[in-house]
Amino acid sequence: MRKIKYKKGRKTHPNFYEYTGIHKSDAVDMQLFVYNDSHYKEFKNIPIDKVQQTLENSFHVNDVKWLNVHGLHDVEIIKNIGELLKVEPYIVGDILNTNRRSKMEELDDTLFFSIKSILPDEDLDNMRVEQLSFILKENLLVSFQEKKSDFFTHIRERIRTNAGIVCKKKNDYLLYLMLDAIMENFYITIENYEDRIEALMVEAKNNHRQDVLVRIENNRENLNYLKRAIVPLRDALYSLKTFQDDDEYDGIEAANYSFFARLHQKCLELLEQIDYDLNSLDSASHFHFSAQSQRMNEIMKTLTVVSVIFMPLTFIVGVYGMNFDYMPELRWHYGYFEVLAFMFVLVVGMLAYFKKKNWF
């Protein structure tokens, strides 16, 4: 189960930065796109000083600029980017702290987004979680990823080929495309778990082993974690909708608010599906316990019937097992066979009576 871990008793400077993720093997790689509806430039593995020169170049002042950062473990580079963009220090801290929940903040001319990307792991019992952060400011969008991935490959190709309307729109539309790409991972993850839940529903009806319950609980924990990642995103997108009536913030064009409203609607659909899947897991769990109880009842019923049948037989055997001298039946020539026949008729009669009463 995934839990947020806090370091207790750490006395450091408020602006102390620390990357809390696990992806630290690859070097930090920065990629910069500068484009409009007529041309684009792409800079790969660009250093921070070159980024600053490009951003300050008056020739690109009206162009949309997308800086994508792969890797967060080099804290100094992330800190320099924050200083270059003149964002609040705690925003840089939130970018580096991967244990924080998804959030959205609007600070004057800057919009900050933090979101979890979740995909099923190869062993299917766990999930791959990566935090992505975005800073939207003027004509610039900066995206921070913990490691290299293919979340935005199709967006890069659309910019390179000038396909669709991405090159005709501003950076707010680019942010929408990225958030939408990340939310597609939620759909993939939920679809994967739905297939597993359907199989668990069938197995819970036919399999009485305890490992079925263990797998049900594992899937329930993963779905709850997924829900915890989507709920703050839903709240952030709802808050973003309210900016449409805010005259103080103009980072998003009025015509593009409808795109973010679609993302909010997708969040609602995802949460509804997760709730449905959680209810299905509850049903599978309850059915498993009910089947176990029913199976136990059947066993107890069988044992009870057997016990009731042998009670009169035991009584008869006990009576004739007494060693009194004066027991006339002990001297009968066919007494042994007559008692056995009587015991047999008694058993058959009891079984017929129990069957007639549907007791087994």
Side-chain angles (χ1 to χ4, degrees), residues 6 54 63 87 91 109-110 112 183 203 246 251 278 288 297 304 313 341-342 349:
Y6 298 95
T54 305
D63 293 339
V87 298
I91 295 294
D109 62 341
T110 302
F112 172 71
M183 291 184 66
E203 191 171 0
D246 188 359
L278 288 173
H288 183 79
N297 291 337
T304 302
L313 302 182
F342 175 75

Side-chain angles (χ1 to χ4, degrees), residues 180-275:
D180 185 61
I182 295 172
M183 291 184 66
E184 287 299 319
N185 294 337
F186 294 150
Y187 281 100
I188 294 173
T189 304
I190 292 177
E191 183 178 358
N192 176 271
Y193 278 101
E194 284 180 345
D195 295 338
R196 301 184 65 193
I197 290 171
E198 185 177 351
L200 277 174
M201 292 283 289
V202 175
E203 191 171 0
K205 297 177 181 179
N206 304 313
N207 191 343
H208 304 292
R209 294 181 304 177
Q210 293 298 319
D211 63 324
V212 176
L213 283 177
V214 173
R215 279 180 284 147
I216 289 176
E217 289 302 316
N218 288 338
N219 282 274
R220 182 183 286 113
E221 289 180 3
N222 288 335
L223 285 176
N224 280 321
Y225 183 82
L226 185 61
K227 185 175 181 179
R228 286 176 56 193
I230 297 176
V231 167
L233 177 61
R234 176 204 61 187
D235 297 338
L237 290 170
Y238 180 79
S239 300
L240 187 62
K241 290 166 58 178
T242 63
F243 290 172
Q244 190 170 4
D245 300 325
D246 188 359
D247 297 333
E248 297 181 358
Y249 182 75
D250 57 356
I252 297 178
E253 295 182 352
N256 291 337
Y257 276 102
S258 60
F259 296 113
F260 292 95
R262 295 178 189 175
L263 295 181
H264 179 259
Q265 185 62 34
K266 284 187 175 182
C267 285
L268 297 179
E269 294 175 358
L270 289 168
L271 291 174
E272 288 178 358
Q273 189 60 47
I274 290 176
D275 288 336

Side-chain angles (χ1 to χ4, degrees), residues 291-332:
Q292 290 283 64
S293 299
Q294 181 65 24
R295 183 167 175 265
M296 183 61 67
N297 291 337
E298 293 295 330
I299 294 174
M300 294 303 298
K301 184 187 296 185
T302 302
L303 294 176
T304 302
V305 169
V306 173
S307 300
V308 170
I309 289 174
F310 275 90
M311 283 176 61
L313 302 182
T314 304
F315 173 75
I316 295 173
V317 172
V319 168
Y320 287 101
M322 295 185 293
N323 296 319
F324 290 109
D325 292 334
Y326 300 101
M327 293 184 69
E329 293 86 355
L330 295 178
R331 306 291 181 230
W332 290 358

